[in-house]
Each structure stands twice: as structure tokens, then as C-alpha cells.
Amino acid sequence: MAGRHRTPAPPPLTAPPAKSRRKVPVWMFIAPSMIVLAVIILYPLGRAIWMSLHGDAKTLDPDTGRFVTGGFVGIENYTRWITQTCGTATGSISCPPGTLGSQFWQSIFNTFFFTGVTVSIETVVGFAMALVMAKSFRGRGLLRASVLVPWAIPTAVTAKLWFFIFANDGIANKMLGTDILWTADPWPARFAIIVADVWKTAPFMALLILAGLQMIPSDVYEAAKVDGANAWQRFTQITLPLVKPALMVAILFRTMDALRMYDLPAIMMGSNPATSTISVLVVDQMRQGANSASALSTITFLIIFAVAFVLVRFLGANAVSTQEKQRKGDAV
């Protein structure tokens, strides 16, 4: 219409210029954790390796004419442990029986023997305990709490408790009507260590396996019952495959812990060579020479690392594969 003016269209909105984002390198996010790990892990490990390359015996310094402790000896400490040789003023000899140097391979055998036997028994016992605790019944909470009591007790207290049980006039001999020297004879002493360790650590295995059992849907068991599967078939075809990841984790953790066993044999049996593990030998050697003990601790680290690598490489890979099958529904 005449006399009217059309309102001019507003100018098009323009987006404000985007602020340039500051790119932060990825390594800055992990740097704090790596620094902490380097301080608490790499430095002690490097220090132990450096000490292991030096000797404990006093040598004459030609410059000062004084006897000094230490001195670079290379891998001599390692070879002495492996070959069980001891240094003398005139050279090296085979370590006499009863000395720490003569107990190296015996300690290796004891460590792997205790690890293999205790982990095997604890896996079976822990699995049985987990199957019972996974069922629904009155008083299940009280049973679960009571089962975890042995695991909650400090290892030192457990060792002293079983020391009195296996004493010469202890409960074990009175119940069996025997006079077995549990803390002196080699094989009875080893049996006592195994019993005490299984009593304490089987609840830990049961706890980890129970967590895996509770992740299995009840519908799977109901469908198997409808198909006519009996209890053994349900256990072998459903329970074992589906609980395998948790079972592998429990075995890994328990094996690493058993390889570092110290408290039980040290407190129950003292310095008995028949039950001395690598960790016990390291502590005993620390009282005689820190550098030689560092070499032994480095050997212990390499052994445990090798065992861990084998377990993770084979058992760990299988556990991951089983989890992938479970997600796809192919594990049953």
C-alpha cells in the first residue's frame, strides 16, 4: 500500500569465529602416572640390579691401602647363586651344606612345589565353596561372612596359629595319636605349610570364582533343564565355560602371590631348609650381604616375571577369547 514502508530484512546471522583449540599431547595425560611408577618401581629395581653387580667382601684399595666394601664384580653374584659356590680367601669352593649358598636350588624347588600344590588344591576347594555360596538358602549371608574369616586374618597370625597346632604336643598329634615332628621332618613340614596356606587362601579363590558365578544368567540353567540336561551336563557345559574368565583371573592372582610366599614358612618353620622359599632365602641373605641378596632378589623377579608372562600369554588369552564368545552368545 502507498505510504507504507516495508521493514528491511535483518542481516544474516554469522557464526562467531571458532576459537582455536589447544592441542595437548597425549603423553601429558599419562606422564604423571608414568613418573609415579618410575619412582616406586623402576628406581628400586634399577638400584637392586646395580647393587647386585657389586660384591659384599672387603677388598684392599691400592690407592688408599684400606679395606673397602663393595667393588664391581659383574655377574659374579649371579653365577655364585646358580652354581652354589662360595668365595674364600684362596678362590671359590662348593658351598658347604647348611650355608645359604647351598640352599638356592632347594628354595627354587620348594617355591614351585608350594605354588603348584597349593594353587591346585585351592582352586578345587574354592570352586566347591563358591558353588555352595552361589545357591539361595537361609543363612547364606552368614555363611559367606564366616568363610572369609580365614582370609581376613593376618598371615602372621595364621602362621603362629598353625605353628601351635603342628607343635610336637599340639592338636594335630593329639587328634591323630602320632608323634610326628611337623616342624623338623622335611615332608611333614611341607605338608603343614600346604594345609595352613590352603586354609587361609581358599576363601580368596572362592570369592573371585563366586563373582564369576553370579554373572551367569539363571535363564541359561532353566533352559538347560527344559532341554533335559542333568546336573553334571549343566556344570560342564554351562558353569565351567561361563566362569572360565573369573577362574583364570583367580589362578593368575593366586599363582603370583604363592611365588612370593614368605610369612607362612618363615614364621611356622623358621630357617628350615626343607621349607625355605626364595623370599625366605633373600631375607636371610640380607643379614649377611645386601649386594648378594640383591642378586638373589633380581633372580626372583626374573623367575616371577617369566611365570607371569607364560600365564598371561596362555591363560590370559584364553580368558579374553572366552569373554568374546560370551558376548556373541557362542560360549554355551
Side-chain angles (χ1 to χ4, degrees), residues 48-165:
I49 295 175
W50 174 256
M51 292 176 61
S52 68
L53 301 177
H54 294 73
D56 292 313
K58 291 185 177 181
T59 57
L60 183 63
D61 189 349
D63 298 330
T64 61
R66 297 180 178 180
F67 284 97
V68 294
T69 303
F72 187 80
V73 296
I75 62 173
E76 181 178 339
N77 288 327
Y78 295 92
T79 57
R80 288 188 183 278
W81 280 114
I82 295 175
T83 60
Q84 297 189 156
T85 57
C86 296
T88 62
T90 58
S92 299
I93 62 172
S94 180
C95 293
T99 60
L100 296 179
S102 64
Q103 300 176 17
F104 175 76
W105 289 109
Q106 180 66 50
S107 299
I108 295 289
F109 168 78
N110 292 337
T111 301
F112 280 94
F113 174 76
F114 287 143
T115 300
V117 176
T118 56
V119 173
S120 300
I121 298 176
E122 289 163 6
T123 301
V124 176
V125 175
F127 208 124
M129 295 168 63
L131 290 175
V132 174
M133 292 188 294
K135 297 182 180 297
S136 298
F137 54 89
R138 186 183 298 274
R140 184 178 64 174
L142 179 62
L143 175 63
R144 291 182 176 181
S146 60
V147 164
L148 294 178
V149 169
W151 180 54
I153 297 176
T155 307
V157 178
T158 300
K160 209 62 181 176
L161 169 67
W162 284 98
F163 170 79
F164 291 120
I165 292 177

Side-chain angles (χ1 to χ4, degrees), residues 31-48:
S33 300
M34 298 303 296
I35 293 174
V36 172
L37 290 176
V39 171
I40 65 176
I41 296 179
L42 295 182
Y43 174 75
L45 179 61
R47 177 64 176 172

Side-chain angles (χ1 to χ4, degrees), residues 206-315:
L207 184 65
L208 294 181
I209 297 173
L210 177 62
L213 290 175
Q214 292 180 333
M215 298 299 294
I216 302 177
S218 58
D219 299 342
V220 179
Y221 290 103
E222 294 177 359
K225 291 180 181 179
V226 172
D227 292 339
N230 55 33
W232 178 251
Q233 290 174 335
R234 294 195 299 270
F235 175 75
T236 57
Q237 302 299 324
I238 298 177
T239 304
L240 278 181
L242 295 183
V243 82
K244 188 176 181 180
L247 182 62
M248 294 300 103
V249 171
I251 293 175
L252 286 171
F253 285 176
R254 184 63 198 114
T255 301
M256 296 299 98
D257 188 39
L259 288 173
R260 297 179 287 106
M261 184 186 299
Y262 171 78
D263 303 32
L264 278 177
I267 298 176
M268 287 183 63
M269 305 300 170
S271 299
N272 188 351
T275 58
S276 178
T277 61
I278 310 178
S279 298
V280 175
L281 192 62
V282 171
V283 175
D284 290 342
Q285 179 60 35
M286 280 293 297
R287 302 184 180 98
Q288 300 185 12
N291 293 334
S292 182
S294 298
L296 183 58
S297 63
T298 304
I299 295 175
T300 305
F301 167 76
L302 294 176
I303 292 175
I304 295 178
F305 178 81
V307 174
F309 176 80
V310 172
L311 292 178
V312 171
R313 176 63 182 85
F314 294 100
L315 297 184

Side-chain angles (χ1 to χ4, degrees), residues 162-174:
W162 284 98
F163 170 79
F164 291 120
I165 292 177
F166 286 108
N168 295 339
D169 56 348
I171 300 175
N173 277 334
K174 291 182 178 179

